Amino acid sequence: MMRASRTVLYLIAVLLISLGFPAEAASADDASLDPPRPKMAEEQQVLQLIDDARREHKLAALTYCPELSEVAERHAHDMIERDFFSHRCPDGHTAGQRLRDAELSYRRIGENLAGHTRVQGAHDMLMQSPGHRAMITGDFDRVGLAVVRGGRYGMIMIQLFAVDQED
């Protein structure tokens, strides 16, 4: 019986390692050491494009913020569902109000919206606009991202930038 238990544990360890988990990192506490990353491939692409643009301007990469991404994603879905495209919702809420509603507080925020069929196309449009490019290359330290398919443009991309209150 003891040998069977050891064999099962060995097989579990081999499986975890083959899936990319180090043998010693099987606990939930260890996972919190890695910085958060976007879950969706298109949001990962947006973050990479932002980081590349910032690197070209000799700026540090931004920290991905899941809480900001949730606010951005809700706004993107709202724009698609209510068929509008604006920083201000039809009920008057701005990015600042949406953050307050989510009980998030930052010293400074900025928001880019883009409607396009492709992430690269949306990013290129933002980089061609001085105001939008200034957000991407601005003095922010974190970003939330949303890429939601649907609506009049085929895709809504939101970049929500912030500077933490504690800085």
Side-chain angles (χ1 to χ4, degrees), residues 42-56:
E42 288 179 313
E43 291 166 0
Q44 291 174 2
Q45 182 184 1
V46 174
L47 184 60
Q48 186 63 55
L49 290 166
I50 290 170
D51 286 347
D52 290 347
R54 291 179 64 82
R55 191 172 8 302
E56 287 176 19

Side-chain angles (χ1 to χ4, degrees), residues 66-76 95 98-99 102 104 146 158 160:
E67 296 83 9
L68 286 172
S69 294
E70 288 176 25
V71 172
E73 186 172 349
R74 280 195 300 271
H75 185 51
R98 290 188 293 276
L99 289 171
L104 298 173
I158 299 180
L160 190 52

